[in-house]
Amino acid sequence: MGRVILHCDLNNYYASVEALLDPRLREVPLAVCGDPESRHGVVLAKNQIAKGYGVLTGEALWQAKRKCPGLVCVLAHHRIYEEYAAKVRAIYCRYTDQVEPFGIDECWLDVTGSRRLFGSGFEIAERLRREVREEIGLTISVGVSFNKAFAKLGSDLKKPDATSCITEANFREVVWPLPAAYLLFVGGATAKKLADCGIRTIGDVARLRSRDLQHLLGKHGVRLWQYANGIDNDPVRLFTDHRPPKSISHGVTCREDLTHAEEVWPIFRHLAQDTGRKLRAEQMQAATVQITLKGASLQVKQYQAPLPEPTRSPQLIAEAAQALLIKHYRWAEPLRAVTVAATNLTQGKAPRQLLLFADERPEKLDKVEDVMYGLQERFGGQALFSAAELLADKLPRHREKLPEEEES
Ligand SMILES: [Mg+2]
């Protein structure tokens, strides 16, 4: 007996949440963006009306406005998007414990074992759509299939607010005529290689011999051939089976170039604050700090150093970043963008050696920061912050995420 896999994709996710927060936005062409005042304002997401004007995710705001002069731009509210995504996942978890998130707005569900209780894959998809719409006010597109690759493809076939089924009986008619680029993990470069060989549709991929694709694309080619032929045994992970990150980094492009180390400090402190929050949430600590500096000429330099002992303290991470900057950077040119990364991560709080003259500062900082993050959690990020962050006047008012973080 085959598996029943669902892929659920929230439609126009960021823009739909913004319209929930302010229903007037439903009627206008809408773009969600980073700070429009910063030099690098880009469209992070758009609604259906803006799509109609040809507005693209990732394009500069001024370009989008040229295509669509009436475009309304709102700032991204990433924290709120995380909250809504968690509510939607809680609905998915009513039907199975195998719920595997893919980005913020997509999930795979394995409902093979849920059918006796809840009905067929299609019926479960219809229930999910209704519950997400009625309880949250957002819409999803659902693909129902016998593997993850086709379920994902299915959720793209009809949207918004629709269910598509791809079965072992119909996949040749439904999937094979589609462009090869629709297959999971076919990016621009792979699509171009395929096109150069006259391979345009998924059916073209399927009808080749797997070893020819291996010759063309290596191991990846074999996987594509398998996907195209409906062979994909990759399991849907348990919702609780979260994989811890290998590194946590936060970066920012500044409103104005930074010209000396004193100007960088509050920005490092601000970035490290987010890194510390994530480390706490993951119950991890970092043994190494790495900084990436992008100069005004866009030249990139990277430095790293081990910490005296593993930590999750934003203060200590920022201090290590600042020490790296002072040690290595000669200010041949001002800095445009900086990133702080915590790497070499380990689980939990490592037992500290009780040395007679051990530095007590990390312990004390940890207690203070526990209180600080607790207050931010309860009253919002602006409730309390480090005094150094007040000096970060070259930070954009709202930080941008990279456009590829949301697909829509
Ligand atoms: Mg989506």
Side-chain angles (χ1 to χ4, degrees):
M1 192 64 209
R3 297 184 294 163
V4 181
I5 312 285
L6 271 45
H7 182 264
C8 302
D9 186 357
L10 283 152
N11 304 125
N12 301 325
Y13 182 51
Y14 289 5
S16 302
V17 174
E18 293 300 335
L20 267 188
L21 301 176
D22 181 356
R24 290 172 303 174
L25 297 174
R26 254 176 237 288
E27 317 300 328
V28 298
L30 173 68
V32 178
C33 46
D35 189 351
E37 290 166 50
S38 93
R39 285 181 296 189
H40 302 281
V42 291
V43 176
L44 301 177
K46 69 274 171 197
N47 70 357
Q48 210 63 38
I49 306 172
K51 256 181 214 180
Y53 284 91
V55 172
L56 300 173
T57 296
E59 82 181 332
L61 222 46
W62 64 266
Q63 276 172 314
K65 279 188 173 154
R66 189 180 282 179
K67 291 180 190 167
C68 177
L71 189 68
V72 175
C73 302
V74 298
L75 294 169
H77 298 97
H78 293 290
R79 196 185 288 230
I80 297 174
Y81 306 150
E82 292 289 349
E83 284 170 16
Y84 275 97
K87 286 184 199 169
V88 173
R89 286 170 193 163
I91 293 181
Y92 299 160
C93 287
R94 292 172 189 164
Y95 292 89
T96 172
D97 55 353
Q98 280 175 276
V99 174
E100 180 183 335
F102 187 65
I104 191 170
D105 63 333
E106 302 177 23
C107 281
W108 278 289
L109 284 66
D110 186 328
V111 297
T112 312
S114 319
R115 284 171 298 170
R116 211 181 311 162
L117 230 49
F118 300 112
S120 70
F122 177 79
E123 283 163 338
I124 294 174
E126 295 293 284
R127 289 175 71 149
L128 286 172
R129 269 198 313 122
R130 193 179 59 239
E131 285 169 23
V132 172
R133 190 183 343 104
E134 289 176 359
E135 294 177 34
I136 317 273
L138 296 169
T139 63
I140 55 174
S141 295
V142 190
V144 184
S145 194
F146 53 97
N147 64 45
K148 285 167 81 174
F150 283 175
K152 174 146 172 67
L153 213 153
S155 70
D156 271 333
L157 289 183
K158 256 183 277 162
K159 48 189 180 183
D161 204 7
T163 304
S164 305
C165 297
I166 297 173
T167 65
E168 279 168 280
N170 76 6
F171 79 85
R172 289 171 193 83
E173 294 92 89
V174 176
V175 173
W176 283 10
L178 300 172
Y182 283 28
L183 271 183
L184 188 56
F185 302 131
V186 173
T190 305
K192 185 172 182 311
K193 264 191 199 172
L194 291 171
D196 287 345
C197 302
I199 305 163
R200 295 183 190 285
T201 67
I202 295 176
D204 292 342
V205 173
R207 282 183 289 258
L208 288 167
R209 289 178 305 180
S210 84
R211 67 180 135 117
D212 292 332
L213 273 160
Q214 182 169 21
H215 190 69
L216 185 67
L217 301 168
K219 238 190 185 159
H220 188 52
V222 179
R223 230 168 137 205
L224 286 190
W225 181 86
Q226 289 174 335
Y227 283 162
N229 283 289
I231 304 163
D232 169 21
N233 298 318
D234 189 32
V236 177
R237 288 184 185 80
L238 289 170
F239 191 62
T240 48
D241 185 13
H242 173 71
R243 279 162 303 167
K246 291 202 171 66
S247 71
I248 294 171
S249 69
H250 288 95
V252 70
T253 301
C254 297
R255 289 156 72 92
E256 284 169 56
D257 291 343
L258 306 168
T259 55
H260 52 273
E262 287 77 3
E263 274 190 316
V264 185
W265 165 248
I267 292 175
F268 277 162
R269 189 63 186 74
H270 178 78
L271 295 171
Q273 191 67 19
D274 286 347
T275 302
R277 180 182 301 110
K278 192 91 191 284
L279 283 169
R280 258 153 220 267
E282 297 287 350
Q283 298 201 303
M284 299 187 92
Q285 35 183 25
T288 302
V289 166
Q290 183 184 67
I291 58 171
T292 306
L293 310 172
K294 191 194 269 182
S297 70
L298 304 185
Q299 206 187 42
V300 174
K301 294 199 153 81
Q302 205 164 58
Y303 307 103
Q304 63 171 45
L307 287 150
E309 60 181 275
T311 185
R312 58 182 191 177
S313 159
Q315 179 69 25
L316 298 177
I317 289 168
E319 284 177 13
Q322 187 73 358
L324 279 167
L325 176 84
I326 289 168
K327 184 172 173 201
H328 295 289
Y329 196 62
R330 294 287 152 257
W331 294 100
E333 61 172 344
L335 291 175
R336 175 152 304 179
V338 297
T339 300
V340 177
T343 66
N344 219 337
L345 304 185
T346 48
Q347 206 72 45
K349 279 172 73 179
R352 295 193 66 228
Q353 287 181 343
L354 289 171
L355 296 174
L356 194 51
F357 299 107
D359 184 3
E360 283 179 4
R361 197 159 158 257
E363 291 280 334
K364 287 184 178 161
L365 272 172
D366 203 52
K367 283 187 188 136
V368 171
E369 286 157 3
D370 263 335
V371 173
M372 184 158 169
Y373 281 115
L375 286 171
Q376 288 185 338
E377 199 94 319
R378 282 173 64 192
F379 301 113
Q382 298 307 313
L384 188 68
F385 42 84
S386 127
E389 288 177 76
L390 280 176
L391 303 172
D393 56 351
K394 289 187 176 175
L395 272 178
R397 301 230 171 85
H398 293 264
R399 297 233 313 277
E400 288 168 17
K401 284 200 170 182
L402 299 173
E404 50 270 26
E405 286 186 26
E406 199 216 20
E407 267 186 275
S408 57

